[in-house]
Amino acid sequence: MDLKKQEVYYFYGAFITTFMAVILGVVTKNYNILLFSVLGAFSFSFVSFSNQKKDIKNVFFHGLTMLIAFNLGTLVSLSLMILPFLAAFVFFISYLYCEMFKIGAPRYFYILVLFSSGVKVSGTSLTLDSLLVANISILSGVLFSIMYILFVFNIVLKLTKQTTIDTNNLLKISTGFSDSWKQPEIIQKAVYGAFTFFILGYIIYLLNGGDSVWMLISCAAIISMQHLSDIKKRMTDRIIGSIIGIFISYILLSINMPFYIFIVLLLLFNGLFEYFMKKNYLVANIFTNPLVIMLTILESSDSVIHISTLRLVYLIIGAIVAYISMYAFHYILDLTKTTKR
């Protein structure tokens, strides 16, 4: 199978897994089930179509870490004061986990997305029943991803008589264990990144949670890059893409559209986001913002302009904080190396 076909299967996979999650929410007439099932379906990001067992294993363990992160986020319901410590802990463990098992892009991004989602729902009237429903819904999204893998490998590829190959562009995770995480620079970045998330967590605490958790997600997207030049480009792409995407969101959602059109657009935006995530981060961000805002509207009574404005402000703050933090980290690191010489 060539790279082009793998990309096509990946696009359809993102579309179909999200579609199954949406259907589950529509059938149960519960928008929270729809939302969390879609979040669980993000585990599909670790599919490479290189090996069936490997892909199932990757999706399962990635989904499991996402579920754990979500539940850790909900602990904030006990007291918002523990958020800075939890945010720092989740980043530190997630970062070392990705280094230890050589996990590629999107690395720990969706883990922190689910953690942030847990923090956000903890601000509502969270009950054990609603928490159980959220957990089952997330696992349903993971199951939909595994079902699509089985469908492609056991039906599509056999009918078309295609073979699978590993590609550097689509391979997401290696099952091998790496000792690279023991390097001082890796440990230093994990500690420094954790400190950054502690600061952001404290800012969110001062803002009383809510939509301000988007700062964590934005920071996670920027800080995941290895080199300062890549971090700067990622920050620029994220801000520009977010501005364009949020503007598109506001225009589209200001139109009184039928619900089925709303769902079709949600599926399309998710598929395009996943497709461009590996090809062009700026374009991917144009599509992810309408997707997130549409999901937010399903479980929020706030107006489109209110949600859009807050998202833009918090995304920009999170991106800038991440860049300043990593700039300071690399500056100190280079200064230390120069001094040793």
Side-chain angles (χ1 to χ4, degrees):
M1 188 201 306
D2 59 28
L3 180 60
K4 191 68 177 177
K5 287 182 179 177
Q6 284 185 316
E7 289 177 341
V8 170
Y9 285 137
Y10 192 85
F11 171 78
Y12 284 127
F15 188 94
I16 292 171
T17 52
T18 307
F19 175 74
M20 289 191 285
V22 168
I23 290 298
L24 180 63
V26 171
V27 169
T28 57
K29 297 180 180 179
N30 188 321
Y31 289 141
N32 282 327
I33 290 178
L34 188 157
L35 172 63
F36 291 117
S37 296
V38 170
L39 290 176
F42 284 157
S43 59
F44 180 77
S45 298
F46 277 72
V47 173
S48 65
F49 298 111
S50 58
N51 179 279
Q52 179 177 252
K53 289 183 179 179
K54 190 176 184 180
D55 279 347
I56 291 175
K57 188 176 180 180
N58 292 345
V59 168
F60 174 76
F61 282 108
H62 188 57
L64 186 62
T65 55
M66 288 164 59
L67 186 69
I68 293 171
F70 172 78
N71 284 285
L72 284 173
T74 61
L75 291 178
V76 174
S77 61
L78 301 175
S79 173
L80 193 58
M81 290 182 65
I82 67 174
L83 175 57
F85 302 96
L86 272 179
F89 173 76
V90 170
F91 174 83
F92 184 80
I93 297 299
S94 299
Y95 182 83
L96 290 184
Y97 170 77
C98 291
E99 292 294 335
M100 192 179 297
F101 292 99
K102 300 182 288 187
I103 298 176
R107 291 166 65 79
Y108 45 76
F109 177 69
Y110 286 123
I111 296 174
L112 289 165
V113 167
L114 267 292
F115 170 75
S116 301
S117 300
V119 172
K120 190 173 182 182
V121 300
S122 69
T124 62
S125 53
L126 188 65
T127 63
L128 285 177
D129 287 342
S130 62
L131 183 60
L132 179 61
V133 169
N135 276 265
I136 293 173
S137 300
I138 292 169
L139 287 174
S140 298
V142 176
L143 178 62
F144 295 148
S145 297
I146 292 174
M147 287 170 61
Y148 181 76
I149 295 170
L150 293 171
F151 171 73
V152 170
F153 277 96
N154 295 288
I155 298 177
V156 177
L157 294 183
K158 287 184 178 180
L159 289 176
T160 55
K161 297 180 180 178
Q162 297 180 64
T163 57
T164 57
I165 57 171
D166 283 338
T167 63
N168 291 327
N169 288 337
L170 290 181
L171 188 59
K172 295 295 183 303
I173 183 170
S174 170
T175 54
F177 183 83
S178 172
D179 287 332
S180 63
W181 68 277
K182 296 180 180 179
Q183 297 175 9
E185 187 173 328
I186 299 296
I187 301 296
Q188 288 168 6
K189 186 172 181 180
V191 172
Y192 198 86
F195 176 72
T196 302
F197 272 80
F198 179 89
I199 296 299
L200 275 177
Y202 185 70
I203 294 172
I204 293 169
Y205 162 70
L206 294 177
L207 293 171
N208 203 30
D211 292 332
S212 59
V213 298
W214 277 326
M215 286 191 287
L216 290 177
I217 298 173
S218 186
C219 182
I222 308 300
I223 212 172
S224 63
M225 306 306 291
Q226 298 293 329
H227 305 290
L228 192 59
S229 57
D230 295 330
I231 291 171
K232 184 177 181 180
K233 186 179 186 306
R234 176 63 67 95
M235 179 192 70
T236 305
D237 288 348
R238 185 161 186 84
I239 291 175
I240 294 174
S242 295
I243 291 172
I244 298 172
I246 289 173
F247 178 74
I248 292 173
S249 306
Y250 179 70
I251 297 299
L252 284 176
L253 296 175
S254 296
I255 302 170
N256 188 18
M257 65 180 74
F259 185 67
Y260 72 91
I261 297 294
F262 180 93
I263 293 300
V264 170
L265 286 174
L266 189 149
L267 296 173
L268 181 63
F269 284 135
N270 184 62
L272 290 171
F273 161 66
E274 293 287 1
Y275 178 77
F276 281 103
M277 190 68 174
K278 307 172 191 59
K279 301 168 76 70
N280 190 312
Y281 188 73
L282 191 154
V283 176
N285 261 276
I286 293 175
F287 294 119
T288 189
N289 280 282
L291 169 67
V292 173
I293 291 174
M294 291 172 84
L295 288 172
T296 304
I297 283 175
L298 288 175
E299 49 86 33
S300 174
S301 58
D302 294 330
S303 65
V304 176
I305 187 66
H306 177 79
I307 294 171
S308 301
T309 303
L310 286 182
R311 178 168 172 81
L312 180 60
V313 170
Y314 290 137
L315 285 184
I316 291 175
I317 292 174
I320 292 174
V321 168
Y323 177 71
I324 292 174
S325 174
M326 286 299 99
Y327 181 87
F329 169 75
H330 284 278
Y331 176 79
I332 294 170
L333 194 64
D334 291 341
L335 194 64
T336 305
K337 289 179 180 177
T338 304
T339 304
K340 285 183 179 179
R341 288 173 189 169

